Amino acid sequence: MSAERAPFSSTNTALHTSSLSSQTSSLPLWDRISLWASENKAVVYTIAGVAVVISSAGVVYYLSDSRKAGSNNTTLEKKRASKKERRKAKKEKEREQEPSAAQSTVEPPLTEQGMLHFIASERKEYATKLKAAGNIAYGDKSYNDAIELYGKAILCKPDPIFYSNRAACYNALGNWEKVVEDTSAAIALDSEYVKALNRRANAYEHLEKYSEALLDYTASCIIDQFRNESSAQSVERLLKKVAEARGKLILEGKERKLPSPSFVTNYLQSFRPRPPPDGLEETADLDEGSGKGQLRAGLLAAAKKTGEGYEDASAAFDKALELRDLGEHEALAYNMRGTFRYLRGENADALNDLTRSVELQPALSQSFIKRASMHLELGNREAAANDFEQAMKQKNDDPDIYYHRAQLHFILGEFAEAAKDYQRSIDLDKDFIFSHIQLGVTQYKMGSVASSMATFRRCIKNFDKVPDVYNYYGELLLDQQKYQEAVEKFDTAVEMEKQTKPIGMNVLPLINKALALFQWKQDFHEAEKLCQKALIIDPECDIAVATMAQLLLQQGKVTDALKYFERAAELSRTEGEIVNALSYAEATRTQLEVQEKYPQLASRLQGMTPNMGAAMR
């Protein structure tokens, strides 16, 4: 796999902008799968990351009218026809499905009642003539006349092509309910009629019945062996529409709470640790019932790096500002409350708090940096850049400014600029490990693999007791398919996490090891065990949940996988993350519906081949 798929930091602002400020967040599973899916969309969209293998011997579906009027070929002549001539004849028959102005057959003088008295062979003959006349009317844009002619043809001989052609007329008139009615009749007669499925899907989309449209387009893609780019794009578009509609509902009713402890820890660690300001030291004589006392309590609780500690810290920061009397620490209080509001997804309130913080104390550059992160997450790149400029005006030698500005450049794909800022951050403070890690990642993304590996080797030499170094070095090795070495690095990271943070350990090394074992040995059992262990330690870890969903999907446990995809959506913080998670949930749900509604297609889906290793790098 090329370095362009390096799994280290987010490349999509809407999907996982926490990487702007979180140095230890691996490329989110959604980003990994989305990148792979965009490059392999012909095999991925119906089953959320699982490749569908359809051999060259698969069904080739020809839509043909086998009773073409005026054909004089004898049986002997047909037998003697060359393969080329037969292929040409089939193409000509396919073209007959659609209304065409090229035919000149005149409508036979029949009434609807009179048709009922003809024998089968006569009905067939007249149906063909009526269809031809309908095609002429369609070509002349006389849609109502064409509708009448196709209707008479249907009375003579119910045929899926006649229904589909009449649906084309209703389509031209924008009568979507009638399009659905006629295409449904066509599909009832021929369940693998691709053009009817696509036409009905289009009508459903106009009627804003997105789930129904998604199902039809998906079935069409499977029948058509994923060769129709337009249908593939329609699936992608509808997955997003369905997910966006559901995502808005989820977001409206979503309980605002902190994300997983791993997420919070990664975010807070992206700022260099500083001692508490004068007057807020642990030894300071403060009334716990005062604003300053609560502010200090919040700082101490956050330092525990546990889920309970973060909840206590969040409550303490809220209480501190309620009690007031914070003196010179009021800007810090707004900074910390804004930070935890941001982590809970309360972006508007968080922005207000950080704005108040910079108004009270412009020299507190961290408030500008955090506000810049939020602006970028909300898609306001200009405001983010302006906040970094304001921070530099206050303190241009603050290494945190350069580190986080580098993250902005990284997310926007400006790797050369990111590398410069990471290096500047290192020059100002060489002891902050995450500047070194992110520099190595950036070098890797730029294609400088040798430089990247050298950077990580220096990290291991200089920061040999930091588990994150081994975890991210392991990801580099995994991306290069050096499985044995990668697993060894992940094991080292896990052991260090246990020793240094036995309660609130970072579970990412466990998840990475699970992926390595799957990619290396296809060891589903051990990979699942590692993910389950990660979820016991951190039940709110969205990456562990999403990884479990993929592992289950690979084993054909589609119903169980769907539950995990839904859970991943629940755990997502932002609307973009929710929509991404739901897109995979809806793709999985559609697979189940295809299998139920089109049993003959379900057998083709059983030809899936595990290919998650590529999807999850």
Side-chain angles (χ1 to χ4, degrees):
M1 195 183 79
S2 70
E4 290 307 311
R5 298 188 200 174
F8 303 106
S9 288
S10 174
T11 57
N12 187 316
T13 302
L15 302 188
H16 195 72
T17 51
S18 66
S19 66
L20 176 66
S21 49
S22 175
Q23 75 297 331
T24 57
S25 297
S26 295
L27 178 66
L29 194 62
W30 308 128
D31 282 9
R32 302 183 197 179
I33 298 169
S34 296
L35 177 59
W36 181 82
S38 69
E39 297 173 359
N40 301 272
K41 56 189 172 185
V43 295
V44 73
Y45 35 72
T46 62
I47 46 174
V50 179
V52 177
V53 176
I54 298 184
S55 69
S56 58
V59 175
V60 180
Y61 185 64
Y62 292 97
L63 299 173
S64 60
D65 181 356
S66 61
R67 299 165 180 79
K68 182 177 178 182
S71 175
N72 296 317
N73 291 336
T74 64
T75 303
L76 180 60
E77 289 172 334
K78 288 182 180 178
K79 288 181 179 179
R80 291 176 178 174
S82 67
K83 290 183 178 179
K84 182 176 179 181
E85 290 172 335
R86 288 199 297 272
R87 284 197 295 268
K88 182 178 178 182
K90 286 182 178 179
K91 288 182 180 179
E92 289 174 350
K93 291 174 183 178
E94 284 187 291
R95 285 196 292 270
E96 287 179 7
Q97 296 173 53
E98 293 299 326
S100 170
Q103 295 161 308
S104 58
T105 308
V106 179
E107 174 192 354
L110 293 175
T111 64
E112 294 182 14
Q113 187 64 33
M115 294 177 197
L116 303 177
H117 301 292
F118 287 97
I119 60 176
S121 60
E122 291 173 323
R123 289 188 185 184
K124 188 185 304 182
E125 178 184 353
Y126 282 115
T128 301
K129 293 179 180 179
L130 286 162
K131 174 201 167 190
N135 289 355
I136 293 172
Y138 181 91
D140 292 337
K141 298 186 178 181
S142 300
Y143 300 122
N144 288 318
D145 291 341
I147 287 169
E148 182 179 354
L149 290 164
Y150 291 134
K152 290 179 179 179
I154 289 167
L155 285 174
C156 285
K157 175 179 174 287
D159 187 289
I161 295 172
F162 302 163
Y163 279 109
S164 183
N165 285 1
R166 189 167 70 177
C169 299
Y170 287 125
N171 188 89
L173 296 172
N175 190 337
W176 308 116
E177 295 285 1
K178 281 292 188 180
V179 175
V180 169
E181 184 180 319
D182 271 357
T183 50
S184 295
I187 294 164
L189 293 168
D190 182 351
S191 63
E192 295 193 5
Y193 195 164
V194 169
K195 288 187 178 179
L197 282 164
N198 286 339
R199 191 164 281 150
R200 186 171 71 176
N202 178 62
Y204 276 139
E205 190 170 357
H206 277 89
L207 293 168
E208 298 185 359
K209 296 181 177 181
Y210 300 129
S211 294
E212 291 88 341
L214 176 60
L215 179 62
D216 277 352
Y217 275 130
T218 300
S220 165
C221 285
I222 296 171
I223 295 167
D224 210 27
Q225 299 184 10
F226 306 98
R227 292 174 300 198
N228 189 317
E229 182 67 18
S230 176
S231 296
Q233 292 174 354
S234 295
V235 169
E236 293 171 2
R237 183 181 67 252
L238 284 162
L239 277 174
K240 185 177 180 183
K241 281 187 176 182
V242 173
E244 283 177 345
R246 287 194 60 206
K248 287 179 181 178
L249 293 175
I250 289 176
L251 202 58
E252 288 172 2
K254 186 177 178 64
E255 178 188 357
R256 299 298 183 181
K257 63 179 183 178
L258 292 174
S260 73
S262 296
F263 187 102
V264 178
T265 298
N266 290 338
Y267 179 83
L268 296 179
Q269 283 184 168
S270 68
F271 295 90
R272 285 162 171 79
R274 290 184 172 88
D278 293 342
L280 294 180
E281 304 93 335
E282 189 170 359
T283 57
D285 185 15
L286 292 174
D287 179 2
E288 290 298 316
S290 67
K292 291 179 182 178
Q294 284 297 300
L295 178 56
R296 181 179 66 178
L299 294 172
L300 292 172
K304 296 177 182 177
K305 299 183 180 180
T306 64
E308 184 179 357
Y310 291 137
E311 291 293 345
D312 290 343
S314 180
F317 295 137
D318 288 342
K319 189 67 174 177
L321 282 164
E322 289 177 16
L323 294 170
R324 315 298 298 178
D325 190 29
L326 290 159
E328 69 275 22
H329 304 304
E330 186 174 359
L332 177 60
Y334 276 108
N335 175 298
M336 296 310 299
R337 186 175 74 173
T339 298
F340 277 80
R341 281 180 164 179
Y342 162 68
L343 289 167
R344 288 198 299 265
E346 299 168 1
N347 288 342
D349 290 337
L351 274 175
N352 290 337
D353 278 351
L354 292 170
T355 299
R356 181 59 179 153
S357 178
V358 298
E359 289 171 350
L360 289 167
Q361 189 180 336
L364 187 56
S365 57
Q366 191 184 97
S367 296
F368 281 112
I369 296 170
K370 290 178 178 178
R371 194 171 68 173
S373 300
M374 292 190 59
H375 281 311
L376 187 60
E377 183 167 299
L378 296 171
N380 194 340
R381 177 180 176 178
E382 185 177 343
N386 182 63
D387 271 344
F388 282 117
E389 288 181 13
Q390 293 298 317
M392 292 183 72
K393 287 179 181 179
Q394 298 300 322
K395 193 177 181 181
N396 65 4
D397 62 348
D398 183 348
D400 275 346
I401 297 174
Y402 296 96
Y403 175 79
H404 287 276
R405 190 174 69 174
Q407 296 284 67
L408 179 148
H409 288 307
F410 187 98
I411 287 172
L412 297 174
E414 300 164 354
F415 300 124
E417 293 302 313
K420 290 178 184 177
D421 273 348
Y422 285 132
Q423 187 59 60
R424 178 61 175 152
S425 177
I426 291 169
D427 293 341
L428 290 168
D429 177 12
K430 63 180 178 59
D431 295 327
F432 188 62
I433 177 58
F434 301 114
S435 294
H436 297 272
I437 289 176
Q438 286 298 108
L439 176 61
V441 169
T442 304
Q443 291 168 332
Y444 195 86
K445 292 288 285 185
M446 294 171 69
S448 302
V449 177
S451 297
S452 174
M453 300 297 281
T455 297
F456 271 92
R457 285 193 293 269
R458 284 195 301 272
C459 285
I460 288 179
K461 179 180 178 181
N462 297 323
F463 302 93
D464 61 325
K465 302 299 182 185
V466 180
D468 301 273
V469 175
Y470 297 91
N471 180 51
Y472 285 92
Y473 190 31
E475 287 203 9
L476 278 173
L477 295 166
L478 177 58
D479 193 63
Q480 297 170 71
Q481 300 183 19
K482 297 178 179 179
Y483 299 118
Q484 181 68 55
E485 294 177 68
V487 169
E488 289 172 1
K489 295 298 181 290
F490 295 140
D491 282 337
T492 301
V494 169
E495 289 306 312
M496 287 186 175
E497 287 283 351
K498 289 178 181 177
Q499 293 170 14
T500 57
K501 292 176 283 185
I503 298 178
M505 69 173 284
N506 186 349
V507 298
L508 293 181
L510 288 170
I511 301 168
N512 280 329
K513 183 180 177 182
L515 294 177
L517 290 175
F518 171 78
Q519 293 176 23
W520 183 16
K521 300 179 178 179
Q522 297 286 298
D523 191 343
F524 285 108
H525 179 69
E526 187 61 27
E528 275 192 48
K529 278 178 59 179
L530 289 165
C531 285
Q532 291 288 10
K533 186 175 181 179
L535 287 170
I536 291 171
I537 296 168
D538 188 353
E540 304 290 296
C541 182
D542 58 338
I543 298 177
V545 171
T547 303
M548 272 296 296
Q550 286 294 321
L551 289 168
L552 291 166
L553 198 60
Q554 281 292 312
Q555 298 172 77
K557 301 175 182 178
V558 182
T559 303
D560 292 336
L562 178 58
K563 293 176 183 176
Y564 276 91
F565 279 127
E566 296 279 8
R567 176 63 177 154
E570 293 172 6
L571 294 173
S572 298
R573 287 178 55 254
T574 67
E575 183 174 358
E577 291 171 356
I578 291 171
V579 168
N580 233 335
L582 287 175
S583 293
Y584 288 95
E586 290 303 321
T588 306
R589 192 192 318 280
T590 301
Q591 178 189 344
L592 289 171
E593 291 177 356
V594 166
Q595 292 175 345
E596 180 180 347
K597 190 168 184 178
Y598 301 101
Q600 75 278 14
L601 300 185
S603 62
R604 299 182 202 178
L605 283 174
Q606 291 173 2
M608 299 175 194
T609 296
N611 196 19
M612 189 175 73
M616 302 181 79
R617 287 183 204 147

